[in-house]
C-alpha cells in the first residue's frame, strides 16, 4: 500500500501493461542510480489529450539531448498515451511518460547496447478550483540553484524538489527562482509577468523548461490583443509587477496574488490573467 496511490491502476512498462502494484524495475536502472532519464506529463480532458503534439515533440527533444534512442515512433507514443487513457477509464487525467537509459553495471559513462526503460502511468487530475482561480496563489523568491540544462525535462529533479520544499516550508504555494538577479521559473511551472498591460516571460533558453503552455499562452495573448515580450526580467521588475501568473500542465494558468508576503498589483487576479484564463478554458472546451 502506498498512500493516495491506486496500485490497481494499469501502467505501461517496457512493452507490457501491468498493475502499478506489480510494476518492478531493477535497482541498477540508471534512472534510479543516476537520475539518467527524461520524462513528460501530458494532460487530458474528458479522455482527450491536450496539446499532445507539443508534449511528444518535447519528449523527443529531451531524448535526443541526452542521446537515448527508443524504438518508438511519434505514432507509437500517441497510441500508447491514448491506450492508457482508454484503459484507465478516466476523464480528466495526467499521463506521465518516463524513459531512462536502462539497466547496467554502475558506471557513469553511457553503457553500450542497453535497452532504455520506458514507463507510463495515468493518474486522475482535478482541475484547479475556484479558490485558486479567484483568490490566486502565493509565492516567495529564491536563488535558482539548478544546473544549466533546464531546457531538458530530466528526471534529475533535486533542485526542483528542494525549491518546492522551500515553498512548503515558507507556507506558500510556489517559488519564483532567480539566477544572477533575473527570473527563471517556478519549481515546476513557468512564470509570467504583466507590466503596463504587456505580458512578459523569460526568453526560451537553457535556463528554463519551455512549457507547452509557453507557446499556448503566446497564442492566447495574440488572440486577446495582449502585447507579449520574451526578455530577461529582473528581480526588481518581478517584484513590482502589476500581475504575476504561473502555468503548467497541472496548474493550467493561475494568478499569483501574493509575493514575499506583499500583494501583487491590486492583490486580486488581474485583467490579463482573466483574458488568458478565458482563452485557456475555451481551448479545453473545444477539444
Ligand atoms: N512540470 N518548468 C518546469 C521546471 C516544469 O517542471 C514544468 C512542468 C513547466 C511547465 O511545463 P508544461 O506547461 O509543459 O507543463 C515549466 C510538470 C507538470 C511536472 O513536472 O509535473
Amino acid at each position: 500500500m502506498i498512500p493516495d496511490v491506486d496500485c490497481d491502476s494499469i501502467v505501461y512498462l517496457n512493452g507490457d501493461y501491468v498493475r502499478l502494484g506489480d510494476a518492478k524495475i531493477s535497482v541498477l536502472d540508471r534512472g534510479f542510480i543516476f537520475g539518467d532519464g527524461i520524462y513528460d506529463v501530458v494532460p487530458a480532458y474528458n479522455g482527450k489529450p491536450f496539446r499532445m503534439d507539443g508534449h511528444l515533440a518535447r519528449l523527443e527533444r529531451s531524448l535526443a539531448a541526452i542521446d537515448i534512442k527508443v524504438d518508438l515512433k511519434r505514432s507509437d507514443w500517441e497510441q500508447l498515451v491514448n491506450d492508457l487513457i482508454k484503459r484507465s477509464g478516466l476523464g480528466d487525467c495526467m499521463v506521465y511518460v518516463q524513459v531512462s537509459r536502462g539497466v547496467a553495471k554502475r558506471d557513469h559513462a553511457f553503457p553500450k547496447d542497453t535497452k532504455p526503460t520506458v514507463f507510463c502511468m495515468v493518474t486522475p487530475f482535478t482541475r484547479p478550483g475556484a479558490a485558486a482561480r479567484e483568490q490566486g496563489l502565493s509565492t516567495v523568491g529564491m536563488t535558482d540553484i539548478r544546473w544549466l540544462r533546464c531546457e531538458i525535462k530530466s528526471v534529475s529533479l533535486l533542485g526542483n524538489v528542494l525549491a518546492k520544499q522551500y515553498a512548503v516550508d515558507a507556507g506558500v504555494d510556489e517559488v519564483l527562482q532567480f539566477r544572477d538577479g533575473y527570473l527563471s521559473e517556478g519549481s515546476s511551472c513557468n512564470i509570467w509577468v504583466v507590466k503596463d498591460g504587456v505580458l512578459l516571460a523569460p526568453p526560451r533558453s537553457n535556463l528554463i523548461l519551455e512549457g507547452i503552455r509557453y507557446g499556448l499562452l503566446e497564442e492566447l495573448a495574440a488572440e486577446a490583443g495582449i502585447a507579449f515580450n520574451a526578455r530577461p526580467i529582473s528581480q526588481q521588475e518581478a517584484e513590482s509587477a502589476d500581475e504575476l501568473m504561473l502555468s503548467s500542465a497541472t496548474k493550467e494558468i493561475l494568478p499569483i496574488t501574493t509575493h514575499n508576503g506583499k500583494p501583487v498589483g491590486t492583490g486580486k487576479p488581474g485583467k490579463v490573467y482573466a483574458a488568458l484564463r478565458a482563452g485557456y478554458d475555451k481551448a479545453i472546451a473545444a477539444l
Side-chain angles (χ1 to χ4, degrees):
M1 274 291 290
I2 309 169
D4 302 326
V5 171
D6 175 9
C7 286
D8 288 327
S9 63
I10 297 300
V11 303
Y12 173 94
L13 182 60
N14 296 329
D16 295 321
Y17 288 95
V18 291
R19 265 182 83 248
L20 176 60
D22 297 330
K24 300 277 184 288
I25 57 164
S26 166
V27 290
L28 287 180
D29 192 281
R30 289 177 63 98
F32 177 61
I33 293 281
F34 293 118
D36 183 2
I38 58 89
Y39 76 107
D40 217 291
V41 181
V42 187
Y45 295 91
N46 206 9
K48 295 183 199 123
F50 185 55
R51 298 259 156 172
M52 175 154 64
D53 276 0
H55 283 279
L56 294 181
R58 185 173 64 187
L59 181 82
E60 289 165 357
R61 283 201 303 278
S62 295
L63 285 169
I66 66 167
D67 202 15
I68 290 183
K69 292 182 187 69
V70 191
D71 52 5
L72 291 167
K73 297 188 299 291
R74 177 69 68 91
S75 53
D76 298 325
W77 285 117
E78 278 167 11
Q79 203 183 335
L80 183 50
V81 169
N82 280 316
D83 254 20
L84 265 183
I85 295 172
K86 215 170 267 155
R87 281 169 187 264
S88 76
L90 293 168
D92 294 350
C93 56
M94 290 286 160
V95 184
Y96 176 86
V97 183
Q98 174 172 333
V99 184
S100 82
R101 202 177 303 279
V103 179
K105 175 172 179 285
R106 185 180 181 280
D107 181 2
H108 287 64
F110 296 175
K112 285 202 172 63
D113 307 324
T114 295
K115 230 175 134 48
T117 301
V118 180
F119 170 62
C120 304
M121 65 178 167
V122 188
T123 50
F125 167 52
T126 307
R127 295 189 60 191
R133 288 165 173 240
E134 287 159 22
Q135 284 150 38
L137 304 180
S138 54
T139 52
V140 287
M142 71 176 288
T143 302
D144 192 339
I145 58 158
R146 300 172 305 156
W147 71 330
L148 294 170
R149 296 298 306 275
C150 296
E151 84 282 13
I152 302 172
K153 204 159 170 58
S154 159
V155 293
S156 304
L157 284 173
L158 191 50
N160 306 63
V161 165
L162 294 178
K164 183 67 187 200
Q165 192 57 35
Y166 187 83
V168 170
D169 292 344
V172 298
D173 299 302
E174 248 303 335
V175 292
L176 264 54
Q177 298 183 96
F178 295 93
R179 197 191 287 273
D180 301 328
Y182 286 90
L183 177 66
S184 52
E185 58 184 340
S187 70
S188 51
C189 54
N190 291 120
I191 304 290
W192 303 81
V193 173
V194 178
K195 194 69 193 171
D196 300 328
V198 179
L199 180 66
L200 304 170
R204 295 172 166 90
S205 79
N206 60 311
L207 301 181
I208 63 167
L209 180 83
E210 182 192 332
I212 301 312
R213 267 129 292 278
Y214 194 116
L216 173 58
L217 292 196
E218 256 181 303
E219 286 170 30
L220 296 179
E223 277 166 26
I226 298 162
F228 171 68
N229 195 0
R231 65 157 173 80
I233 299 163
S234 72
Q235 184 155 359
Q236 191 270 332
E237 279 184 296
E239 287 169 359
S240 58
D242 298 333
E243 292 182 44
L244 289 175
M245 289 167 245
L246 57 74
S247 66
S248 77
T250 47
K251 297 285 190 269
E252 302 182 341
I253 172 166
L254 287 174
I256 297 165
T257 47
T258 311
H259 179 61
N260 289 344
K262 297 193 204 94
V264 177
T266 63
K268 298 219 161 62
K271 278 194 199 135
V272 173
Y273 165 72
L276 296 176
R277 161 51 70 186
Y280 201 99
D281 287 344
K282 217 170 113 199
I284 289 169
L287 256 183

